[in-house]
Every structure is written in structure tokens, then in C-alpha cells.
Amino acid sequence: MLIGYARISTTDQTLALQQDALEHAGCQKIFTDTASGSRTDRPGLAEAANFAREGDTLVVWRLDRLGRSLAHLIQTVKDLQNRGVHFKSLQEQLDTGTSGGKLVFHVFGALAEFERDLIRERTMAGLSAARARGRRGGRPSLSKQKVRQLRGLAADKQNRVSEICKTLGISRATFYRYLDH
């Protein structure tokens, strides 16, 4: 069975184009979501995945409709494949039900892993370079003068914590962290 999934990012957009393409491709059931690509909770996608049985194919209009990122896309398709469900993208003409489609998808996976490794290496190199220049990560510490001011204001029970924080330009968490030291 071909199962369709369509997603739009905002209510200003319309699902019609994607639904028409999915119906034309032969999808018997179509699930939809209206959610930004960065959102993790997609009830329509979860329903489609739960509805799919071994041997079924989940069909999308374009790859970007399924995954938030390449890594998320790959993980979603792997989860489907582990259950014996194939994946097909109409625009990219990718079908994991074929040997060629599986090959292309594995290449995508390798590229995504390569990209993650490059990002990790660049991050570590940047941190090392910063440490070599004497820079440390994390939030800057409050000056001794500001800590004395904080404690002096806190000692006066007339002052409210929110007013002290506003005066010093700090958060409540910072207030309590320095008050307890």
C-alpha cells in the first residue's frame, strides 16, 4: 500500500499541491501536518508511520517535507526500513524499494555522517584555538564589586529579588548562585 505524507509550514500555505501529487502517485491514504520544519512533534507523521505495515511505502512529495535535517530524514527512513516499510520521494525520484534507491539513500547517510564529523572537528579546533589564546568558555563571572553590591542589596529585606536582578542586570539564577557562595 502507498501511504502519503504531506506537510506545510504555516496555515498561509496549502496542502493541495502535495496532496494532488500523492493521489496521482497512487497513495490510498494521506496523512498531513501543519508544522514548521524544525518542530519535532508531528502527529500526522507519527500516524503515518504507525499506520504503515511491512511491505508498505511511505511517499512524500519532496524530501524536505519529511525530515527537519538530513540526519533526521535518515533516521526516520531507517526506522521505517527496520519495520520493513519502504520510502519514496516523488520530486527526487528516490525509492528505497529499489536497489538503486537504497544505494542513493546510503550515500545520503554517509554524507550526513561525514558532515557531522566535519562539524565536530571544526568545533574542537575552534575551542582549542580559543584556549591557546587564553579564552575560556562559559558565562563571564560577576566582578567582586558587583558581588558585594548584590549581597548588600540582598541583606536589606526591603529589596525584592526581581528589583535587585533588574538593577544589576542579572537573572534570578545568577542572583541565587552568587548569594549562596
Side-chain angles (χ1 to χ4, degrees):
M1 171 184 235
L2 296 178
I3 301 162
Y5 174 69
R7 179 183 62 80
I8 54 173
S9 301
T10 66
T11 53
D12 295 339
Q13 298 172 332
T14 177
L15 287 164
L17 171 72
Q18 293 178 55
Q19 287 176 319
D20 291 348
L22 293 170
E23 286 172 7
H24 186 265
C27 293
Q28 295 166 306
K29 183 110 172 118
I30 298 174
F31 296 88
T32 63
D33 276 323
T34 300
S36 165
S38 61
R39 294 215 17 213
T40 55
D41 60 318
R42 296 186 190 174
L45 179 57
E47 273 186 80
N50 289 333
F51 182 82
R53 300 291 171 245
E54 188 173 344
D56 289 347
T57 300
L58 181 67
V59 183
V60 295
W61 179 61
R62 278 185 25 195
L63 286 173
D64 67 346
R65 301 294 88 197
L66 182 66
R68 297 186 317 269
S69 64
L70 184 57
H72 179 255
L73 174 70
I74 289 167
Q75 187 57 53
T76 303
V77 173
K78 277 184 183 177
D79 292 344
L80 291 170
Q81 285 180 330
N82 289 340
R83 295 181 38 226
V85 177
H86 302 293
F87 170 73
K88 184 176 186 177
S89 173
L90 299 176
Q91 290 294 304
E92 290 81 7
Q93 298 180 2
L94 177 67
D95 185 353
T96 63
T98 67
S99 55
K102 286 179 187 172
L103 172 66
V104 170
F105 203 77
H106 286 295
V107 170
F108 280 177
L111 289 173
E113 189 173 337
F114 178 67
E115 179 185 28
R116 283 191 302 271
D117 288 345
L118 284 178
I119 290 169
R120 188 177 310 115
E121 287 173 13
R122 283 194 301 259
T123 301
M124 297 310 290
L127 290 171
S128 293
R131 276 190 223 104
R133 290 190 309 272
R135 302 211 39 205
R136 285 186 21 225
R139 293 186 180 137
S141 301
L142 289 182
S143 66
K144 290 181 182 179
Q145 177 187 356
K146 217 169 199 180
V147 173
R148 280 194 300 274
Q149 191 178 9
L150 178 147
R151 290 185 177 146
L153 290 169
D156 183 355
K157 300 301 177 194
Q158 298 283 325
N159 295 325
R160 294 190 347 225
V161 173
S162 59
E163 291 171 351
I164 295 170
C165 291
K166 189 174 182 179
T167 301
L168 298 176
I170 60 173
S171 68
R172 290 180 80 86
T174 300
F175 171 84
Y176 287 111
R177 185 170 42 251
Y178 280 96
L179 186 65
D180 293 339
H181 283 116

